[in-house]
Amino acid sequence: MTGPKYQMHLDAIKQYDPDLFNAIEHEKKRQMDGIELIPSENLVSQAVLEAMGSILNNKYSEGYPGKRYYGGNEFTDVVENLAIDRAKKLFGAQHANVQPLSGSPANMAAYYATMEHGDTFLGMKLTEGGHLSHGHPVNFSGKWFHNVQYGLDRETEMLDYDAIRKLAIQEKPKLILSGYTAYPRSIDFKEFRKICDEVGAVCMADIAHIAGLCVTGVHENPVPFFDIVTTTTHKTLRGPRSGMILCKEEWKEKIDKAVFPGLQGGPHEHIIAGKAVCFKEAMEPAFAEYAKQIVKNAKALADELLAGGCTLASGGTDNHLLLVNTIKSKNLAGKQAETTLDKAGIYCNKNTIPFDERKPWDPSGIRIGTPVLTTRGMQESEMKEVGRFILEALDKPNDDAALSRIRSDVKEFCAGYPFYV
Ligand code: DSN
C-alpha cells in the first residue's frame, strides 16, 4: 500500500529564483529518497500546502473573527471560523484559539493566561521527555516562572503518578503540565486530572506529539476534561507548521487575551487555513486508520530493533516513537548514531534517554518514530525492513562504503512509496 502522489507546483520560483528552486527540489528529493524517522515530522497533503501558499498570506487580521483591528476581514473571518469550529469538533473542545504561531508560543500564552511571574508549576524534565518550554532553566518558561520538574521512575522508565502526586502536594503548584516530546508510553491523563483536583492546580497538557493519536481515540484525549491543552499541528496531526490552544469556556477570555494582544500581532491566516484543511482531513475515517497504523508500525519497528539486540527506553512503545539507547545497544553515542544513520539516508535525532549521564548535545540515544513512513503507506512488514537498515548501519559506523551501499538500498526501497512526485 502506498500513500498519495502529489505533484508540487513551483513554476514561478523555478523561473525567477533558480537557486531557491534547486534547494527546494533537493530537499524534496531528500524527503522522498530517505527513511524519515524524526517523530515530530510529517508529510502534509497537497491541500494543506496549497492553503499555506495561498493569498491569505496578504492580509492583516489582528483581533478575532468579528472583532478585527483592520478592515476587509470578511473572508479571513470565514477561514478562521472554519478552523475554530473544526478544531472544537475534532478535539471535543469548548473553545479553540487557532492563532498561536507554534508550540512554544502556545505554551507561553497558556502560562501567561494562568500564572503570574514567579508562580510555581510542575513540568517534566527535558532529559526525561519534557520540552524546553516545559520549564527548562534556559527557556522563558523556567526563567519567568518557578518550575519544579518531575521525572520518571528509574526502574520502569515510565511516569510514576504517586511520585508526581507527592511532589504536587509538597509544592502546591498553580499548574501541572503533562504531555511530552520524547515519552514512548501512554499518559494516564485521568490520573493527572485527579492530582490537579487534589491540589487545586490548573490541569494542562501539551499534546503536540500525540494530537493525531488523541483525536482518533488511539490515545486518550485529555481535551474534554482538562482545563487547557496546547498542541502543534504539524506532528501526528499532519497539518501546517503551527500551534493551537484548546480550553474550557472559563479560560476562553484569558487565553484569547494572552495570545492577542498579549503576545502576538497579526495572525497568519494562510497557516490557519492550512489548519482548517488539516482538521477536516483528521475527521475522515482514513485518518483514524492512519493513526492506528502509526502505533502498529512503531511497535513492529520496536520488535525488530529489540530482536536485533537494541535497548529501548521503557522496553518498548505505546505510541508513535521509540527511544533507542545506542550506547547500550551498539556502544555508539547518540550523536554518532545520528550521523551514521544520516550517511545511510536514515534520519533521526540524537536524544537523551531517561537518567542519561551524557549531555543533550551528545546524549546516549536516538529518538525515532513512524508518522512519516506511515503517511507514505508503509505497514508492519516494511518496518521489518526499516529495522534491518537501521541495525545494519549502526553496526558499521566507520565503514563509509557500507553506509553508502545502504543509502542506495534505502533509496530503492523508498522509491516504492512515492508521495511528492
Ligand atoms: N522540536 C519538537 C520535537 O522534535 O519534538 C518539539 O518542539
Side-chain angles (χ1 to χ4, degrees), residues 40 131 181 209 235 367:
S40 46
H131 186 251
T181 65
H209 264 260
K235 298 187 175 93
R367 185 183 67 153

Side-chain angles (χ1 to χ4, degrees), residues 99-400:
Q99 293 191 2
L101 301 176
S102 205
S104 288
N107 286 340
M108 190 184 254
Y111 302 151
Y112 285 157
T114 51
M115 295 189 280
E116 300 295 330
H117 183 202
D119 276 351
T120 299
F121 80 104
L122 299 193
M124 167 90 101
K125 287 179 195 159
L126 178 75
T127 48
E128 281 164 45
H131 186 251
L132 277 171
S133 68
H134 293 181
H136 194 278
V138 301
N139 185 262
F140 79 90
S141 56
K143 288 180 191 287
W144 194 255
F145 304 104
H146 174 235
N147 178 251
V148 177
Q149 303 203 303
Y150 57 89
L152 301 174
D153 176 72
R154 197 172 267 276
E155 191 87 359
T156 61
E157 298 179 330
M158 296 191 209
L159 290 163
D160 176 349
Y161 298 93
D162 287 335
I164 297 166
R165 176 177 286 105
K166 267 190 204 143
L167 191 64
I169 291 168
Q170 180 189 312
E171 297 289 338
K172 299 180 189 58
K174 195 91 174 263
L175 178 149
I176 299 176
L177 178 63
S178 52
Y180 315 106
T181 65
Y183 184 63
R185 294 299 183 173
S186 296
I187 303 163
D188 189 342
F189 285 123
K190 290 207 174 70
E191 210 42 51
F192 273 102
R193 178 76 254 184
K194 276 193 220 153
I195 297 171
C196 288
D197 289 343
E198 276 172 50
V199 300
V202 175
C203 190
M204 173 178 164
D206 171 351
I207 60 166
H209 264 260
I210 54 170
L213 309 184
C214 291
V215 296
T216 47
V218 173
H219 189 289
E220 183 174 40
N221 175 16
V223 173
F225 58 94
F226 265 41
D227 299 308
I228 299 174
V229 174
T230 58
T231 184
T232 51
T233 49
H234 51 271
K235 298 187 175 93
T236 50
L237 199 53
R238 211 165 59 182
R241 187 161 290 278
S242 197
M244 173 169 62
I245 305 176
L246 304 147
C247 66
K248 289 265 173 66
E249 192 66 30
E250 65 191 275
W251 288 103
K252 171 182 167 160
E253 206 179 313
K254 283 191 169 161
I255 286 290
D256 284 355
K257 277 193 177 147
V259 174
F260 175 85
L263 287 168
Q264 296 183 182
H268 296 182
E269 293 294 345
H270 56 310
I271 304 298
I272 290 174
K275 289 182 228 190
V277 176
C278 147
F279 302 152
K280 186 168 158 65
E281 290 176 350
M283 282 187 259
E284 304 281 353
F287 190 83
E289 289 308 310
Y290 164 65
K292 273 187 219 148
Q293 192 62 46
I294 290 178
V295 178
K296 284 187 198 163
N297 284 353
K299 285 182 190 290
L301 187 52
D303 288 345
E304 193 62 27
L305 295 179
L306 287 168
C310 286
T311 302
L312 304 181
S314 81
T317 182
D318 299 325
N319 59 24
H320 63 303
L321 70 82
L322 326 169
L323 282 176
V324 187
N325 182 331
T326 50
I327 294 264
K328 252 195 193 163
S329 307
K330 303 285 171 186
N331 201 24
L332 276 184
K335 199 168 164 186
Q336 198 186 357
E338 181 194 293
T339 312
T340 298
L341 291 173
D342 229 86
K343 287 183 185 168
I346 301 168
Y347 306 106
C348 70
N349 67 278
K350 54 185 165 293
N351 213 96
T352 50
I353 50 133
F355 308 99
D356 209 327
E357 281 166 9
R358 300 172 63 95
K359 296 272 177 257
W361 181 243
D362 191 10
S364 300
I366 54 172
R367 185 183 67 153
I368 62 181
T370 53
V372 171
L373 298 187
T374 310
T375 292
R376 292 185 77 165
M378 295 186 197
Q379 298 190 328
E380 289 96 316
S381 56
E382 286 85 358
M383 291 307 109
K384 288 195 181 304
E385 196 118 355
V386 170
R388 281 196 288 270
F389 283 132
I390 295 172
L391 292 167
E392 210 187 331
L394 292 182
D395 278 336
K396 300 187 173 74
N398 301 313
D399 185 344
D400 280 355

